[in-house]
Amino acid sequence: MPVKGIHIEGLAKRYGSGDTAVDALKDVNMEVAAGEVVGLVGPSGSGKSTLLKALGAVIEPSAGRMTIGDTVIYDNGWKIKDLRALRRDSIGFIFQAPYLIPFLDVTDNIALLPMLAGQSNARSRELAMTLLQALDMAHRAKAMPAQLSGGEQQRVAIARALVNRPPVVLADEPTAPLDSQRALAVIRILGQMAQQYETSIIVVTHDEKIIPTFKRIYHIRDGVTYEEAGEGRAFT
Ligand SMILES: Nc1ncnc2c1ncn2[C@@H]1O[C@H](COP(=O)(O)OP(=O)(O)OP(=O)(O)O)[C@@H](O)[C@H]1O
Ligand SMILES: [Mg+2]
């Protein structure tokens, strides 16, 4: 088994150049172990989305180092040739809105990802079903997205982010549209999934309902991260 977890050191991102340059990230340092969920909290414009995009290889950093397990992803330049494959196989994304495909049923919304990664249709649906069972959604496997509640849709989005068993999952405000009980349920599920799948999960959030549940929180301000022990309050 390769070593897992994500490690970021001195990460920087400058948008543009010259007079109009914006240093969105200046010095980001993070370490998230396999099986761990951390919070990432900071004011508007502090660099949260930029950091997730850099981690997700959607934008290119300007400097620093990022590793996933023992694989160097970026070290003052990309160290991976196939960034598409990296995004598809190693990184799961969960957004504020579930962005399910409206004309595919729940199973196929999830199975699409392993299919794109080259698995057979039957195997892909089997992988989808395993996650639906873990998320207590197996009874909705044949439903269409429009027939689901907001919390159920978000669970499908979580299943989709995890189905390829990526070592890293990035979540940008995943609980914002949910009420308190459903928001806590989503965070509880992410915690269980992180452990079961040995995934490192980073959750960007402003959500006061869930901040007390993190054991560790990274604060980001003007592109610089600071680590803090969270309350890690147990779920009731
Ligand atoms: N494509 C871009 N080109 C130039 N500047 C950008 C670009 N994207 C973001 N920025 C700037 O980088 C800084 C960080 O933006 P970012 O979107 O990462 O903040 P954020 O913490 O996600 O904020 P929010 O909480 O409002 O979503 C801001 O000053 C923003 O204006
Ligand atoms: Mg943002």
Side-chain angles (χ1 to χ4, degrees):
M1 276 294 264
V3 187
K4 293 188 178 177
I6 184 159
H7 194 147
I8 305 164
E9 248 179 72
L11 201 75
K13 171 64 185 178
R14 166 171 291 189
Y15 289 112
S17 60
D19 288 351
T20 57
V22 177
D23 286 305
L25 301 178
K26 292 174 191 152
D27 185 17
V28 170
N29 298 283
M30 283 180 108
E31 195 160 5
V32 189
E36 193 183 18
V37 183
V38 301
L40 175 64
V41 179
S44 181
S46 57
K48 302 178 301 292
S49 294
T50 301
L51 175 55
L52 288 197
K53 286 180 204 159
L55 283 176
V58 177
I59 60 169
E60 184 171 3
S62 312
R65 189 177 154 89
M66 302 195 287
T67 58
I68 296 178
D70 41 22
T71 307
V72 180
I73 307 296
Y74 182 91
D75 191 0
N76 292 307
W78 292 118
K79 298 294 159 188
I80 297 272
K81 278 208 202 90
D82 192 346
L83 292 176
R84 268 186 71 195
L86 173 79
R87 285 192 290 266
R88 187 190 61 211
D89 301 332
S90 298
I91 301 171
F93 291 93
I94 301 167
F95 305 98
Q96 181 170 335
Y99 298 116
L100 303 179
I101 299 172
F103 52 84
L104 295 180
D105 71 13
V106 162
T107 306
D108 283 347
N109 261 279
I110 303 163
L112 190 63
L113 270 281
M115 284 177 196
L116 288 173
Q119 304 269 10
S120 73
N121 289 7
R123 175 68 186 143
S124 298
R125 294 209 171 97
E126 204 176 288
L127 290 168
M129 198 37 119
T130 304
L131 272 155
L132 286 171
Q133 274 156 1
L135 292 164
D136 206 12
M137 282 285 290
H139 60 297
R140 304 299 272 143
K142 292 275 161 261
M144 300 305 280
Q147 299 171 321
L148 303 178
S149 73
E152 288 172 338
Q153 289 184 20
Q154 199 57 322
R155 273 186 276 168
V156 177
I158 291 170
R160 186 181 51 191
L162 289 163
V163 68
N164 281 346
R165 298 197 169 224
V168 176
V169 169
L170 307 173
D172 203 348
E173 300 278 1
T175 61
L178 303 178
D179 65 32
S180 169
Q181 205 182 338
R182 292 207 170 83
L184 290 171
V186 163
I187 294 299
R188 190 183 312 121
I189 287 164
L190 287 178
Q192 287 164 356
M193 291 284 139
Q195 288 191 353
Q196 191 175 337
Y197 289 87
E198 296 188 295
T199 305
S200 304
I201 304 186
I202 300 174
V203 180
V204 167
T205 189
H206 292 99
D207 191 341
E208 298 295 338
K209 305 187 288 287
I210 65 167
I211 288 175
T213 66
F214 295 110
K215 292 199 184 80
R216 282 200 308 130
I217 294 175
Y218 286 93
H219 288 270
I220 181 165
R221 191 170 288 276
D222 289 335
V224 181
T225 43
Y226 307 87
E227 191 191 330
E228 184 188 89
E231 292 178 41
R233 213 181 281 161
F235 295 104
T236 50

